[in-house]
Amino acid sequence: MQTTWMWDAEHQIYGSEIYGLDMDLKQGELHWYHGDTGSLCGDDDGYIRQKISEFQRFGPPPSIGKPPVDVTKGVNRAIQILNRTKEF
């Protein structure tokens, strides 16, 4: 199972900032992205790694800021499902 989210910055400076997040179930990590549209930031290693357990305790990394409510709910829901199925 792969779960991915993307959203734009609430107060964009140039109208091109985007954020992204995907879950690496094998490593039990979240990968956070921040960049410009068209930067293909998901195609390289230019992301912030965070253990799922750290996200549950502290929330997203400070440099990412606060994701939209629906993204946070989706991430927490996916973690609940994964915990029940013991996929990580």
Side-chain angles (χ1 to χ4, degrees), residues 3 11 19 31 38 41 45 47 55 57-58 74 87:
T3 306
H11 301 290
Y19 292 83
H31 296 169
C41 59
D45 291 334
Y47 54 82
F55 171 77
R57 286 195 318 261
F58 305 114
E87 287 206 32

Side-chain angles (χ1 to χ4, degrees), residues 19-85:
Y19 292 83
L21 164 65
D22 68 33
M23 297 177 116
D24 181 336
L25 301 179
K26 291 180 183 178
Q27 299 296 320
E29 293 179 336
L30 301 176
H31 296 169
W32 299 90
Y33 300 91
H34 176 228
D36 294 329
T37 55
S39 70
L40 303 174
C41 59
D43 290 344
D44 60 23
D45 291 334
Y47 54 82
I48 300 168
R49 293 176 188 260
Q50 182 184 39
K51 291 289 186 189
I52 291 172
S53 60
E54 290 174 5
F55 171 77
Q56 291 175 301
R57 286 195 318 261
F58 305 114
S63 61
I64 296 297
K66 186 175 179 179
V69 172
D70 62 328
V71 172
T72 302
K73 284 182 181 179
V75 172
N76 287 323
R77 180 73 179 129
I79 291 170
Q80 285 178 334
I81 292 168
L82 293 172
N83 279 332
R84 282 196 301 250
T85 61

